[in-house]
Amino acid sequence: MTQFEINSDISVARCLSPSFYLDDVYFESSRDHIFSRTWQFAGLKSDADNIRPVTLLEGFLDEPLIVTYDGELRCFSNVCTHRGNLLVSESCRGASIRCGYHGRKFDLSGKFLSMPEFEGVRDFPGPEDDLAGLEIREVAGLMFVAFDPAGSFEEFFGPTLGRLADFENSNTAVSTSVYEVNAHWALYCENYLEGFHIPYVHKSLNRELDFASYDIRTFRFSSLQTAVPAELEKDSGRRQEFDGKAAFYYFVFPNLMFNFYPWGLSVNVVEPLSPTRTRVRYVTLETDPSKRKTGAGSDLERVEAEDQRIVESVQKGIGSRLYKPGRYSVKQEIGTHHFHRLIAEFMNQGGAR
Ligand code: FES
Ligand SMILES: [Fe+2]
């Protein structure tokens, strides 16, 4: 298997090999090497139903899970430990879960409770008759789960958690929308990870930002991009507001984007479908609709369409026999370099332990 290599020194490094995006083998192995070893979005916490089926990364991991809440949030397999029937097909309320095939019962932590007609079965029940559990965490009503994470929730999310905590108990209107893009998931993410393209691709957004102030910081598994509003110098009132920033763009490896704007938060979840197709789910938590019409967070649909167009163009370009991975801008592509380094690390080792 090709080892992916990205030099740690950005000034001599070259971008990721096109084979990562083009080769089915790597798309397949990224399920285990990247997506099973990182924290994945599992939906919004609901107070209405205490038992909910969740299909993790539908069309990719397709992992059937159950999330339960009885004062404690839990996540475990939705597959019966008898002969593999799916246990729960829709959200409901209850104190236990009973399999619809032969009546095996589990409690809300996934522990085996009872099974009819099993007299005489030796060494039964055992620990393998309980439903396998996953780690689950919740912040600002957003749930995240991980199979075998390469780091803790805190390590992955880093400073994103502090800003998400501001949304706890705040009065938010939640909405979701979904886009599909004809490109590899990682091309969509690496485009997000630099502001370099803003003056060329996003003319209207560029007018809202002071491009010279664009800043990027990287952490172990996450990064943060910020920019100052273009007219801040003229409007000192806005300096106090929102820490003087037009937006905070947090990325959590490998596929989570948390965009904080003065009006609220847009969470973008990038979901692989095939090596050339990606679903992007926008979950929007709006705290102040009156600020929706101004600044960097005002015309998101237009910015999204512009990004999709350029990413689809890159998808076509990297398939060229004549394309060889290019060099990075030391100043502008720190986030993309950091992302490529993480991809190489996870693909080569299955994630650092
Ligand atoms: S498959 Fe669930 S009880 Fe048989
Ligand atoms: Fe963009």
Side-chain angles (χ1 to χ4, degrees):
M1 209 165 175
T2 309
Q3 297 290 294
F4 294 99
E5 218 181 307
I6 306 289
N7 199 302
S8 59
D9 179 353
I10 189 172
S11 70
V12 298
R14 283 192 174 275
C15 292
L16 197 60
S17 162
S19 63
F20 175 73
Y21 314 92
L22 299 171
D23 216 322
D24 284 352
V25 162
Y26 297 126
F27 185 78
E28 295 301 322
S29 62
S30 72
R31 282 190 179 90
D32 289 338
H33 284 184
I34 296 178
F35 286 87
S36 302
R37 311 238 30 227
T38 50
W39 289 86
Q40 294 299 320
F41 180 61
L44 295 154
K45 190 170 152 227
S46 155
D47 293 329
D49 296 313
N50 68 343
I51 302 173
R52 291 173 63 201
V54 170
T55 304
L56 205 60
L57 290 176
E58 208 166 347
F60 184 56
L61 291 187
D62 276 327
E63 187 63 44
L65 301 172
I66 301 175
V67 172
T68 62
Y69 184 68
D70 60 351
E72 194 176 329
L73 195 61
R74 294 192 178 96
C75 181
F76 43 83
S77 173
N78 193 0
V79 179
C80 182
T81 49
H82 177 221
R83 289 204 354 243
N85 182 40
L86 290 183
L87 292 162
V88 177
S89 57
E90 54 193 49
S91 295
C92 53
R93 286 200 74 81
S96 62
I97 296 162
R98 187 168 61 199
C99 179
Y101 201 177
H102 315 97
R104 183 168 292 197
K105 251 172 125 177
F106 304 91
D107 72 12
L108 291 187
S109 69
K111 206 169 162 25
F112 174 96
L113 286 178
S114 64
M115 178 76 189
E117 310 292 340
F118 256 49
E119 296 79 15
V121 178
R122 289 167 61 177
D123 302 325
F124 179 85
E128 63 282 1
D129 297 301
D130 297 334
L131 297 165
L134 265 74
E135 278 193 75
I136 184 163
R137 298 292 293 269
E138 181 256 324
V139 58
L142 306 163
M143 302 189 297
F144 300 92
V145 299
F147 289 91
D148 178 24
S152 68
F153 187 63
E154 286 73 18
E155 281 174 293
F156 263 85
F157 278 65
T160 318
L161 283 180
R163 234 163 235 284
L164 281 171
D166 292 347
F167 280 74
E168 296 281 10
N169 308 318
S170 65
N171 209 358
T172 53
V174 179
S175 59
T176 58
S177 50
V178 170
Y179 301 91
E180 286 198 11
V181 192
N182 290 316
H184 190 278
W185 66 271
L187 291 181
Y188 187 90
C189 293
E190 63 189 55
N191 169 69
Y192 173 86
L193 286 165
E194 41 95 351
F196 193 8
H197 69 273
I198 292 174
Y200 305 99
V201 176
H202 307 301
K203 300 269 189 288
S204 62
L205 175 60
N206 194 40
R207 284 194 286 275
E208 301 292 340
L209 302 176
D210 171 18
F211 184 66
S213 74
Y214 207 88
D215 182 50
I216 172 134
R217 276 154 213 217
T218 61
F219 309 94
R220 177 65 178 97
F221 298 107
S222 65
S223 59
L224 165 63
Q225 298 170 82
T226 53
V228 171
E231 76 278 32
L232 188 70
E233 293 311 317
K234 287 175 250 151
D235 183 357
S236 59
R238 286 184 66 181
R239 187 184 290 279
Q240 309 305 322
E241 195 184 291
F242 212 53
D243 298 346
K245 298 288 194 282
F248 292 84
Y249 304 106
Y250 287 90
F251 179 79
V252 177
F253 185 77
N255 63 333
L256 301 173
M257 300 159 180
F258 299 88
N259 306 316
F260 295 87
Y261 302 110
W263 57 258
L265 165 65
S266 172
V267 183
N268 307 350
V269 184
V270 182
E271 304 179 349
L273 293 173
S274 80
T276 56
R277 194 136 177 96
T278 298
R279 187 196 298 125
V280 186
R281 195 180 296 278
Y282 272 56
V283 180
T284 303
L285 309 183
E286 195 175 61
T287 45
D288 187 349
S290 69
K291 300 204 176 90
R292 191 80 199 224
K293 293 269 172 270
T294 54
S298 62
D299 204 358
L300 297 185
E301 283 198 17
R302 178 195 185 126
V303 173
E304 174 65 27
E306 290 165 345
D307 278 325
Q308 289 184 14
R309 210 173 310 126
I310 200 77
V311 167
E312 288 178 353
S313 168
V314 175
Q315 176 72 41
K316 290 183 189 139
I318 54 156
S320 161
R321 285 161 195 78
L322 301 175
Y323 173 70
K324 300 275 179 297
R327 304 289 300 275
Y328 298 95
S329 160
V330 171
K331 188 167 165 219
Q332 296 288 352
E333 289 175 296
I334 295 164
T336 301
H337 175 250
H338 178 252
F339 176 66
H340 288 167
R341 294 256 311 148
L342 284 169
I343 285 181
E345 176 187 334
F346 275 71
M347 289 301 285
N348 294 343
Q349 304 163 24
R353 279 175 199 267

